[in-house]
Amino acid sequence: MTMQIAKLNPFEGLEEIVREEVPLAKYTWNKIGGPARYFIQPRSVEELRAAVRRCGEEGLGVYVLGLGANLLVSDEGVDGAVFRLDDAFWQSFRVTGTTLRVSAGMDLQKLLLKTVRQGLAGLECLAGIPATIGGAARMNAGGKFGDIGTLIQRLTLMDHEGNVFERTREELTFGYRHTDIDALFILEAELELHEEDPESLVKRMKEVWMYKRNSQPLNAKSAGCMFKNPPTASAGSLIDQAGLKGLRVGGAEVSQKHANFIVAHPGAEARDVMELIKIIRDKVHQKSGISLETEVKIWR
Ligand code: EPU
């Protein structure tokens, strides 16, 4: 007679990098979000591969967390495995001439400061955008002054089975807050910058940052711009024109400073934000006929 013994721990042997029932609010930009069933912080490509394969065997959904901006996690959290590449291993970068190779977990703002001070231009247009390099590449982070996609020459990626492969610029499409990266993980990015006088670069970086600071509620907790700009208008001005600034559901409020931000006051829950999203979409549609699409990713 054979006995079926239930496997108690799907991550046996990987206990050092896996925790269970970890509240995600601590890791999100708006400080909202329920627990991840598994929270995994690999320290090498091998550990990442082993954990990803285990997820495949167990049928667990995989979620990749960067700096937690542009993200809304439900109050119930996620019934899967959330990966965070925040070990020092994922934060290395090296510069050869004007070419930069950087690991996925590197903080975009820290990298930007370093390159600008070295007289390497390109990233300064991304001043003030909270992201890791992996997250920024995945969503083609950017704004009025440019996006990261224009700098990316090559990405090193990993698929669901743990295979590592590369995609060159020619093989990728970078659209508005969108890419067609066909992989589960971004491991490394190669960016092409160009030389410029550090002083004028610092000045430009400050201007971009000031624009953001003057027009957006940076001191409040939010997930960033909630909706994509539709082709013909700005989401912020549409929400503003619909008279929704200051509208509040529970602890979530349409920012008075920039209507495309939903500010999360202390005690705000994901359900408050979701309800507000629904009201905003309905009201803007009634007023302008335009259907707003969320830019923020929702995990539920
Ligand atoms: N506006 C209003 N009322 C508002 C907000 C904006 O009338 O409450 C008007 C402004 O006066 C302006 C226009 O709408 O005429 C556009 O506003 P803004 O210059 O602030 O730019 P945006 O299109 O709303 C975009 C990105 C931001 C990025 C900024 C600056 C989107 C959805 N938003 O904002 O990105 O920081 O440009 O580069 O693409 C984000 O992606 O999370 C984000 C914040």
Side-chain angles (χ1 to χ4, degrees):
M1 191 177 79
T2 53
M3 275 218 320
Q4 288 282 324
I5 299 172
K7 205 171 178 187
L8 290 176
N9 177 8
F11 294 104
E12 211 178 322
L14 295 169
E15 290 85 354
E16 282 185 30
I17 59 162
V18 181
R19 286 183 289 147
E20 284 182 56
E21 297 301 328
V22 174
L24 293 173
K26 184 180 153 196
Y27 297 97
T28 59
W29 208 247
N30 59 9
K31 299 292 164 226
I32 290 178
R37 183 161 162 210
Y38 297 103
F39 190 78
I40 308 183
Q41 291 164 291
R43 299 163 299 188
S44 64
V45 174
E46 292 69 33
E47 282 186 349
L48 175 62
R49 178 180 293 121
V52 168
R53 286 189 176 157
R54 225 55 89 74
C55 290
E57 288 159 16
E58 300 291 329
L60 283 169
V62 171
Y63 300 78
V64 190
L65 183 64
L67 270 199
N70 228 78
L71 176 65
L72 177 62
V73 178
S74 73
D75 300 312
E76 291 70 35
V78 290
D79 186 20
V82 173
F83 283 77
R84 196 162 198 253
L85 305 184
D86 56 359
D87 186 80
F89 174 80
W90 303 104
Q91 294 178 40
S92 71
F93 77 100
R94 61 179 192 279
V95 181
T96 317
T98 52
T99 305
L100 181 66
R101 280 193 81 90
V102 56
S103 299
M106 179 85 193
D107 183 304
L108 173 64
Q109 294 306 307
K110 286 187 188 152
L111 183 70
L112 187 159
L113 265 178
K114 283 182 204 285
T115 53
V116 158
R117 284 182 183 147
Q118 282 182 40
L120 287 170
L123 288 170
E124 69 287 349
C125 64
L126 305 173
I129 298 178
T132 58
I133 289 299
R138 169 70 71 184
M139 289 214 55
N140 192 16
K144 244 182 226 332
F145 308 97
D147 58 44
I148 194 163
T150 54
L151 307 170
I152 293 176
Q153 300 304 315
R154 182 188 302 271
L155 293 175
T156 308
L157 305 163
M158 183 186 277
D159 67 15
H160 280 83
E161 287 161 359
N163 302 309
V164 174
F165 61 103
E166 291 197 337
R167 288 276 179 265
T168 60
R169 162 161 209 87
E170 293 69 36
E171 296 169 302
L172 297 165
T173 311
F174 292 96
Y176 169 58
R177 299 298 87 75
H178 173 82
T179 62
D180 61 353
I181 296 168
D182 55 341
L184 195 51
F185 290 97
I186 296 166
L187 306 184
E188 193 176 73
E190 184 184 301
L191 309 179
E192 191 57 33
L193 307 176
H194 62 272
E195 283 176 19
E196 241 183 271
D197 164 47
E199 241 172 74
S200 64
L201 273 180
V202 169
K203 191 164 163 271
R204 209 151 74 228
M205 175 189 74
K206 283 188 180 158
E207 283 165 6
V208 172
W209 195 80
M210 288 296 278
Y211 182 87
K212 218 172 147 67
R213 202 190 65 174
N214 290 335
S215 58
Q216 300 177 6
L218 299 190
N219 291 330
K221 294 187 173 50
S222 80
C225 279
M226 184 51 73
F227 300 97
K228 290 184 182 180
N229 281 341
T232 50
S234 133
S237 64
L238 290 171
I239 301 166
D240 195 354
Q241 282 158 25
L244 301 176
K245 274 186 169 173
L247 181 68
R248 200 164 162 156
V249 174
E253 182 183 351
V254 178
S255 165
Q256 298 275 3
K257 193 160 183 183
H258 193 300
N260 199 9
F261 285 70
I262 295 184
V263 168
H265 294 291
E269 297 188 329
R271 58 177 61 83
D272 301 335
V273 180
M274 288 183 200
E275 179 63 23
L276 203 45
I277 290 172
K278 191 173 167 304
I279 297 172
I280 294 169
R281 295 191 75 230
D282 286 350
K283 299 262 186 215
V284 167
H285 189 260
Q286 273 168 26
K287 169 106 183 152
S288 65
I290 293 175
S291 298
L292 291 178
E293 239 184 82
T294 49
E295 169 181 322
V296 165
K297 301 283 172 212
I298 302 179
W299 290 359
R300 52 177 127 214

